[in-house]
Amino acid sequence: MGVYNVAIFSIAVYSYLSNTAQVARGNRFVKTHFAAGKDFKAGVLFLTTFSTVFSGYTVVSVPDEASGLGFTSVRWIGAV
């Protein structure tokens, strides 16, 4: 476990130093990659929000419904 923690910490430090060096040179690739240049349209944000809510519902509510109603929860298979 200690080797794993050292490896993860080393990767994090390397990534931080690499990103800091790129920003100092004027390269903002990481920021534009993960934030998509902050150029999201309303449709993309709507679909992202919808998929997040649907995913949360399927993780939390569908198992509860399946335990309460039994086989009738098979209707959710088509929603996936």
Side-chain angles (χ1 to χ4, degrees), residues 1-10:
M1 186 67 160
V3 174
Y4 174 76
N5 287 335
V6 169
I8 293 298
F9 183 74
S10 300

Short mmCIF file of all heavy atoms in Angstrom, two decimals, residues 1-10:
data_model
loop_
_atom_site.label_atom_id
_atom_site.label_comp_id
_atom_site.label_asym_id
_atom_site.label_seq_id
_atom_site.Cartn_x
_atom_site.Cartn_y
_atom_site.Cartn_z
N MET A 1 0.82 -1.19 0.00
CA MET A 1 0.00 0.00 0.00
C MET A 1 0.87 1.25 0.00
O MET A 1 0.52 2.24 -0.61
CB MET A 1 -0.92 -0.04 1.23
CG MET A 1 -1.92 1.08 1.26
SD MET A 1 -3.09 0.91 -0.07
CE MET A 1 -4.39 1.90 0.51
N GLY A 2 1.99 1.18 0.71
CA GLY A 2 2.89 2.33 0.75
C GLY A 2 3.49 2.64 -0.60
O GLY A 2 3.65 3.81 -0.98
N VAL A 3 3.82 1.59 -1.36
CA VAL A 3 4.38 1.78 -2.70
C VAL A 3 3.35 2.44 -3.61
O VAL A 3 3.67 3.35 -4.38
CB VAL A 3 4.84 0.42 -3.28
CG1 VAL A 3 5.29 0.57 -4.72
CG2 VAL A 3 5.95 -0.17 -2.44
N TYR A 4 2.11 2.02 -3.49
CA TYR A 4 1.03 2.61 -4.29
C TYR A 4 0.88 4.09 -3.97
O TYR A 4 0.77 4.93 -4.87
CB TYR A 4 -0.28 1.87 -4.01
CG TYR A 4 -1.47 2.49 -4.68
CD1 TYR A 4 -1.70 2.32 -6.04
CD2 TYR A 4 -2.37 3.27 -3.95
CE1 TYR A 4 -2.79 2.90 -6.65
CE2 TYR A 4 -3.46 3.85 -4.56
CZ TYR A 4 -3.67 3.66 -5.91
OH TYR A 4 -4.75 4.24 -6.52
N ASN A 5 0.85 4.44 -2.68
CA ASN A 5 0.71 5.84 -2.29
C ASN A 5 1.87 6.69 -2.79
O ASN A 5 1.67 7.81 -3.25
CB ASN A 5 0.57 5.96 -0.77
CG ASN A 5 -0.77 5.49 -0.28
OD1 ASN A 5 -1.75 5.51 -1.02
ND2 ASN A 5 -0.82 5.05 0.96
N VAL A 6 3.07 6.16 -2.70
CA VAL A 6 4.24 6.90 -3.20
C VAL A 6 4.14 7.09 -4.71
O VAL A 6 4.43 8.17 -5.23
CB VAL A 6 5.55 6.17 -2.80
CG1 VAL A 6 6.74 6.76 -3.54
CG2 VAL A 6 5.75 6.23 -1.30
N ALA A 7 3.71 6.05 -5.42
CA ALA A 7 3.58 6.16 -6.87
C ALA A 7 2.52 7.19 -7.26
O ALA A 7 2.76 8.03 -8.14
CB ALA A 7 3.22 4.80 -7.47
N ILE A 8 1.37 7.18 -6.60
CA ILE A 8 0.31 8.14 -6.91
C ILE A 8 0.76 9.56 -6.57
O ILE A 8 0.53 10.50 -7.34
CB ILE A 8 -0.99 7.77 -6.14
CG1 ILE A 8 -1.55 6.47 -6.66
CG2 ILE A 8 -2.02 8.87 -6.24
CD1 ILE A 8 -1.94 6.48 -8.12
N PHE A 9 1.41 9.73 -5.43
CA PHE A 9 1.90 11.05 -5.06
C PHE A 9 2.95 11.54 -6.05
O PHE A 9 2.96 12.73 -6.43
CB PHE A 9 2.48 11.01 -3.64
CG PHE A 9 2.93 12.35 -3.14
CD1 PHE A 9 2.02 13.31 -2.76
CD2 PHE A 9 4.28 12.65 -3.07
CE1 PHE A 9 2.44 14.55 -2.31
CE2 PHE A 9 4.72 13.88 -2.62
CZ PHE A 9 3.80 14.84 -2.24
N SER A 10 3.84 10.66 -6.49
CA SER A 10 4.87 11.03 -7.47
C SER A 10 4.24 11.46 -8.79
O SER A 10 4.68 12.45 -9.40
CB SER A 10 5.83 9.87 -7.70
OG SER A 10 6.46 9.52 -6.51
#
